[in-house]
Amino acid sequence: MTLLIATIGFVKFISAVVGLIRTRHIDNAWVRLLKAFNVANGAVAIVLTQYALLEMQRSASASSSTGLFGMAVGCILMLVGVRLMLRRN
């Protein structure tokens, strides 16, 4: 059951990224914003899935490793967002 939930999280993230890439030619800012929120939501799902898997295994460093992974994902999303903003101007 846990692997099914993890698979759903990864499929959600991958489909969000594919949706963002497919709509890059659309000039509607609201569509791009919703697609970007969907990618961020998928990334949060991956981080939470990691935490759930580590807690299920009773890992001693589940909180710290998930926190570091979450910060790395957040920094990557922030850099991609800044790149998209600079590219549009």
Side-chain angles (χ1 to χ4, degrees):
M1 187 62 149
T2 305
L3 292 177
L4 177 66
I5 293 170
T7 304
I8 291 170
F10 280 105
V11 168
K12 179 180 182 177
F13 179 69
I14 291 169
S15 66
V17 170
V18 168
L20 182 65
I21 291 171
R22 285 187 178 174
T23 59
R24 69 179 179 260
H25 65 280
I26 296 176
D27 285 334
N28 190 342
W30 291 106
V31 171
R32 285 194 316 265
L33 179 68
L34 289 174
K35 294 294 182 179
F37 279 150
N38 202 14
V39 169
N41 187 16
V44 169
I46 297 297
V47 172
L48 291 177
T49 300
Q50 178 200 6
Y51 181 71
L53 290 173
L54 289 175
E55 277 296 317
M56 188 183 78
Q57 297 295 324
R58 299 196 189 340
S59 175
S61 61
S63 296
S64 60
S65 62
T66 302
L68 290 173
F69 181 61
M71 289 190 316
V73 168
C75 287
I76 290 170
L77 287 175
M78 188 175 62
L79 290 174
V80 169
V82 168
R83 182 175 173 255
L84 289 173
M85 280 189 340
L86 293 176
R87 188 173 168 191
R88 291 307 256 172
N89 291 331

